[in-house]
Amino acid sequence: MQARRDTELSALQNEILEAVAKGIPFASVANTLCERAEALAPGANCTITAIDSEGLIHPVAGPSLPASYGEAIDGVPIGPEVGSCGTSAYFGTPVEVTDISTDPRWSNFKSVALPLGLKACWSSPIKSPDGRVVGTFAFYYRECRGPSDLERQLVDTCVHLCSIAMERDEVNRRMHHLAYHDQLTGLYNRYAFDERIARKMAAPPQSFGLLLLDIDNMKLVNDTMGHSVGDSMICEVGRRLAAVGETISVYRLGGDEFAVICPACNQKEALSGLAERLLRQMDHPFECDGNSIMLQITIGGVLSNMDGTSADALRQNADLALYHAKQTARGDYIHFEPGLRTSIQCRTEQIALLDKALDEDRVFAHFQPVICIRRARIVGVEALARIRAEDGRIISAGAFAQGLTDSKNAFRLTSRMLDQIASSMRAWMDEGLELRHVAVNLSTVDFQRGNLEQRLRAPFEAYGVPLHHLQIEVTENVLMDQDVANQVARLRECGMQVALDDFGTGFASLSHLKDFPLDYIKVDKSFVDNLLTDIACGAIVESLIDVAKKMQIGIIAEGIESAEQAARLLEIGCPLGQGFYYFRPVDGDTIAELLRASDCTAAKRPALTRALRHSA
């Protein structure tokens, strides 16, 4: 008899261990174990439960009991009077109850067991190798009794097998979690994202939205505050994204890049609305280690039913939308459009063009005169970058403007222009030619890279040119940054002039003029173009001239192309202007010839004729 029992237990053990080795899910293994145990112990009903990290009971298997029994105990906390299983798990010792109807440990749960004909229960804790109680194995009887010797031996074997199977299941779940989740944020990772996108695109047509986003200024945070703060910032952004709702899935793809999949977004308006909610999640500051950090993200989006026929195409187009957003709408959202591919290719080509020209010293300055409209004389010039192509052609700034969106190019170009400006100014001064200023455009990059004052001083001091001849031009959106405004104020204290370029096309208003440190306002060409035909436009220009005069700020009209425009500007009191009506940008030698002439409007003068002939 004992030999037969040993053989049956050995067979049970081999079957369960083989199932565990094959990686069969624990729920299936547990169900098989219960069925085999019940076959070896007639009259017993077997159950297996799991105990989670919070001490809550979760049924795993109980093939002979109705589902309602498992539902009744699911989520119940373990405790000293929580039936046989809850008590066994609580104390970590076996609990034998021979009469459920009278045992105090069942007082709160006998109404669940007795109607099913269950009169006794013997439960044993299942422990992990480190001693934690991770589950229970129980025999229920339909008569008031305890276990037999055979049942005790059987339960010892089953508890041991459960311990092995549950440990393997826990390892598998931990490995699965590591495989599909980001360790820093706890969000799904790139592997999970790739699998989810591939699965959704391979399924029957069902539209969904995909957003890719980056955290702005991440490198600056890491460099100035340390990577620990940067990691905390990444975690906070992930937390805020996930807090938007259960209808989305959030993934950290790596670094500061995240993805959001929204099955409910099947139209551009819905996806745009979701992107807006994600952007708003970043509105309030993030406090970390005594630092108050303003969070900002940039987002690109696609829809599966219109922006990509495969997982790779959809992801690539979302990348293109994000890339374009980072270049043109940082801190905002852009939806993919087919034209973005051409736009990005054009930008890439222009970056390469400018980079190569800088390497080969083929970038130089042309100068467009700034005219005193009443006296028709040159009072200053604006320096504009040009490239001499390999075939000798002169390429104007508009043809490589997108090349300046690369910060390295923008920084290098400013340095090259400053040297040529100072050199030309020195040459004009040596001839005794009178020129009030030479203007140069500065970008956000110039202010962000640091040491700007020294960069501006160095070439002018090297050529012995006083700094008051240098006029720096900044656009409204650049000057709206308070740090930039502070730097500009310091540059004025050094003697440089400051001009607000393209006024009216950015974010500034008349009320901001009292706060900005300005010497000149340059009225954008779009206003001058409509000066004679648009009453509102004319009124705006006239009012701006009046305000500037009262605030003792100089004013320059850009883009003058006709005598009628010049006459109207003079009539309403605009003192200075520049544009093709007077001169196109020309080289430094031609500027010298023009300065020798006494009247810039005398088109019969040889100097002016040569200037127009050789304009770029």
Side-chain angles (χ1 to χ4, degrees):
M1 186 70 176
Q2 183 62 42
R4 179 183 173 187
R5 183 183 304 170
D6 291 343
T7 300
E8 290 173 338
L9 291 177
S10 178
L12 171 63
Q13 182 169 288
N14 290 338
E15 181 180 1
I16 298 303
L17 291 177
E18 183 178 353
V20 171
K22 288 180 177 179
I24 294 175
F26 176 63
S28 296
V29 173
N31 203 65
T32 299
L33 183 58
C34 285
E35 290 175 345
R36 298 296 181 268
E38 289 176 352
L40 294 175
N45 296 131
C46 181
T47 66
I48 297 174
T49 70
I51 310 299
D52 67 20
S53 59
E54 296 180 358
L56 304 181
I57 302 171
H58 300 288
V60 177
S64 298
L65 298 180
S68 59
Y69 185 77
E71 293 169 358
I73 64 171
D74 190 20
V76 173
I78 62 175
E81 295 182 353
V82 184
S84 299
C85 293
T87 306
S88 175
Y90 183 79
F91 289 110
T93 58
V95 171
E96 294 182 20
V97 173
T98 58
D99 188 348
I100 290 176
S101 65
T102 60
D103 195 294
R105 290 168 292 190
W106 273 91
S107 58
N108 295 323
F109 298 93
K110 60 185 179 182
S111 60
V112 177
L114 293 177
L116 299 176
L118 305 177
K119 297 182 178 181
C121 180
W122 173 41
S123 181
S124 299
I126 302 169
K127 297 184 179 181
S128 65
D130 59 7
R132 290 177 295 115
V133 175
V134 293
T136 63
F137 183 93
F139 271 170
Y140 286 85
Y141 305 106
R142 298 183 182 276
E143 56 184 319
C144 295
R145 72 173 180 90
S148 65
D149 291 341
L150 169 62
E151 289 170 341
R152 290 185 188 279
Q153 188 176 0
L154 176 59
V155 167
D156 286 344
T157 300
C158 289
V159 168
H160 178 64
L161 292 173
C162 281
S163 178
I164 294 173
M166 294 183 84
E167 181 189 6
R168 179 64 178 267
D169 183 64
E170 185 175 335
V171 170
N172 287 342
R173 282 188 284 109
R174 188 162 56 245
M175 291 178 64
H176 183 275
H177 188 276
L178 290 173
Y180 285 88
H181 290 78
D182 173 55
Q183 294 187 52
L184 178 63
T185 63
L187 298 171
Y188 291 117
N189 61 14
R190 179 184 290 274
Y191 184 82
F193 170 77
D194 290 341
E195 186 175 283
R196 176 81 181 279
I197 286 289
R199 188 168 63 249
K200 290 187 72 66
M201 293 299 288
Q206 183 181 11
S207 178
F208 64 92
L210 168 63
L211 299 175
L212 294 185
L213 60 96
D214 271 354
I215 303 175
D216 297 336
N217 304 314
M218 191 70 223
K219 184 177 185 303
L220 181 63
V221 171
N222 282 332
D223 290 347
T224 58
M225 300 181 186
H227 285 271
S228 62
V229 174
D231 286 348
S232 297
M233 182 173 164
I234 289 171
C235 290
E236 177 66 9
V237 169
R239 186 192 65 77
R240 294 190 187 187
L241 294 175
V244 166
E246 297 180 357
T247 59
I248 65 172
S249 299
V250 182
Y251 304 78
R252 182 190 176 212
L253 303 184
D256 62 347
E257 186 178 9
F258 294 80
V260 175
I261 295 176
C262 181
C265 292
N266 54 17
Q267 294 184 344
K268 291 178 69 172
E269 294 76 12
L271 191 61
S272 177
L274 172 60
E276 182 64 24
R277 292 199 301 275
L278 296 177
L279 291 169
R280 296 288 72 79
Q281 285 288 94
M282 308 301 151
D283 280 350
H284 60 276
F286 169 50
E287 306 296 335
C288 179
D289 292 347
N291 301 296
S292 183
I293 304 171
M294 292 304 300
L295 301 177
Q296 180 176 291
I297 57 176
T298 300
I299 309 176
V302 290
L303 289 171
S304 63
N305 64 341
M306 59 185 290
D307 297 323
T309 57
S310 68
D312 287 342
L314 193 68
R315 169 66 190 274
Q316 185 180 59
N317 289 339
D319 269 328
L320 289 173
L322 174 58
Y323 180 83
H324 188 69
K326 287 192 292 187
Q327 302 305 320
T328 63
R330 188 170 287 270
D332 211 335
Y333 166 71
I334 284 183
H335 190 94
F336 172 78
E337 299 293 345
L340 289 184
R341 193 178 303 276
T342 302
S343 173
I344 291 171
Q345 181 180 359
C346 178
R347 176 180 179 272
T348 302
E349 291 172 352
Q350 290 189 22
I351 288 174
L353 169 68
L354 179 55
D355 185 57
K356 191 169 188 288
L358 286 165
D359 287 342
E360 297 174 356
D361 200 23
R362 291 186 287 105
V363 176
F364 58 95
H366 267 192
F367 303 90
Q368 184 172 40
V370 175
I371 308 299
C372 171
I373 298 177
R374 182 174 300 280
R375 297 174 58 222
R377 294 181 182 276
I378 298 175
V379 296
V381 294
E382 178 182 357
L384 301 166
R386 296 291 184 263
I387 290 177
R388 190 177 304 281
E390 294 175 343
D391 61 4
R393 292 179 299 110
I394 303 300
I395 302 175
S396 63
F400 59 88
Q402 292 190 57
L404 291 170
T405 59
D406 178 81
S407 59
K408 175 185 169 186
N409 276 353
F411 186 81
R412 294 176 67 197
L413 180 66
T414 297
S415 297
R416 184 69 53 86
M417 291 291 289
L418 287 171
D419 187 74
Q420 295 197 21
I421 289 169
S423 173
S424 296
M425 193 71 194
R426 180 72 265 167
W428 299 328
M429 291 174 64
D430 288 346
E431 260 197 80
L433 301 174
E434 184 180 349
L435 194 65
R436 187 183 302 170
H437 71 265
V438 56
V440 61
N441 289 277
L442 297 183
S443 68
T444 302
V445 173
D446 293 310
F447 291 96
Q448 290 177 340
R449 292 289 290 266
N451 201 30
L452 178 58
E453 181 182 335
Q454 183 56 34
R455 289 181 63 215
L456 295 172
R457 281 180 176 276
F460 275 68
E461 290 178 352
Y463 286 100
V465 178
L467 282 175
H468 68 259
H469 287 299
L470 177 61
Q471 182 181 99
I472 58 173
E473 294 188 1
V474 292
T475 58
E476 299 173 31
N477 58 329
V478 172
L479 198 56
M480 289 291 286
D481 185 306
Q482 187 57 51
D483 180 63
V484 172
N486 293 337
Q487 291 187 61
V488 168
R490 290 194 293 271
L491 296 178
R492 285 187 81 221
E493 293 171 359
C494 297
M496 303 175 209
Q497 303 174 40
V498 177
L500 180 59
D501 198 14
D502 301 332
F503 185 82
T505 63
F507 304 104
S509 65
L510 289 175
S511 64
H512 288 118
L513 297 182
K514 63 182 178 63
D515 301 318
F516 292 160
L518 299 175
D519 297 291
Y520 289 91
I521 297 171
K522 301 191 75 172
V523 181
D524 186 68
K525 182 180 184 299
S526 61
F527 288 98
V528 176
D529 286 343
N530 297 293
L531 181 65
L532 305 176
T533 58
D534 188 315
I535 294 176
C537 192
I540 290 172
V541 174
E542 191 169 352
S543 298
L544 182 58
I545 291 170
D546 185 53
V547 169
K549 284 182 177 178
K550 290 178 179 178
M551 297 181 67
Q552 297 184 330
I553 298 174
I555 193 157
I556 303 170
E558 297 182 291
I560 302 173
E561 296 186 351
S562 70
E564 292 78 13
Q565 289 173 342
R568 178 56 181 159
L569 287 165
L570 182 60
E571 180 183 353
I572 61 179
C574 182
L576 305 175
Q578 65 185 98
F580 288 0
Y581 169 64
Y582 296 106
F583 298 103
R584 292 175 180 270
V586 293
D587 60 35
D589 291 340
T590 304
I591 291 294
E593 293 186 50
L594 293 173
L595 289 172
R596 296 186 197 109
S598 60
D599 189 341
C600 298
T601 61
K604 292 181 286 186
R605 289 183 179 276
L608 178 55
T609 303
R610 284 193 296 275
L612 295 175
R613 185 184 303 126
H614 296 296
S615 293

